[in-house]
Amino acid sequence: MFAKLRTRTAAGLVLVACIFAGTSCSNFPADPEGTLDRVTGGTLRVGVSHSPPFTDVSGAEPAGPETDLARDFAASLDAGIEWAEGGEEHLMEALKQGDLDLVIGGLTESTPWTDKAAVTRPYAESTDDWGKPRKHVLAAPLGENAFLSALEEFLADREPGR
């Protein structure tokens, strides 16, 4: 009798665990603020700082390889772009406050802004004025993991050989 009860209890616990795992894992990675859902088919709000040759805000529209990257990412989400120009400190604070979805401007993996932003994998390399290699990253909102995953996948698809 106890063996039958133990078997039924174990089977019930396995069923509950499977149901819980299936429902809780279906929403991961998640965006607590819904960034990916809001941007997809909507507007990608991009903060851009002046950092030639990566970004140049001296013209009517921001230009440079990182602005092209942002435009291509927006297009992959069927989104338009709203640009916000400014210095890194101002843009990172706006990103942290939820006023921006992406910050670009020659950021490298050694950026000091990791308390305000999630940084992507390095997507490009360059050298500084002294010949030291630099790996470039983009900045996204902290905790918006579905958005960051979409951005990372977009960057990975652009890697040579993929």
Side-chain angles (χ1 to χ4, degrees), residues 53-79:
F54 310 102
T55 55
D56 184 346
V57 297
S58 63
E61 279 269 320
E66 285 189 5
T67 60
D68 294 341
L69 195 62
R71 285 182 181 98
D72 291 347
F73 178 57
S76 78
L77 298 174
D78 194 29

Side-chain angles (χ1 to χ4, degrees), residues 80-153:
I81 290 188
E82 179 181 298
W83 299 104
E85 299 172 9
E88 280 185 18
E89 184 173 2
H90 173 76
L91 295 175
M92 289 300 180
E93 188 59 36
L95 184 69
K96 182 180 176 186
Q97 296 301 319
D99 297 328
L100 295 174
D101 306 312
L102 183 66
V103 172
I104 62 175
L107 300 172
T108 65
E109 66 182 353
S110 61
T111 182
W113 302 111
T114 55
D115 62 329
K116 295 183 187 293
V119 295
T120 64
R121 75 178 73 202
Y123 73 89
E125 290 188 23
S126 68
T127 54
D128 64 16
D129 293 339
W130 300 273
K132 182 178 175 186
R134 301 184 319 171
K135 294 183 178 185
H136 293 271
V137 298
L138 306 176
L142 285 170
E144 296 299 285
N145 296 325
F147 178 78
L148 183 60
S149 290
L151 180 57
E152 291 280 6
E153 186 175 318

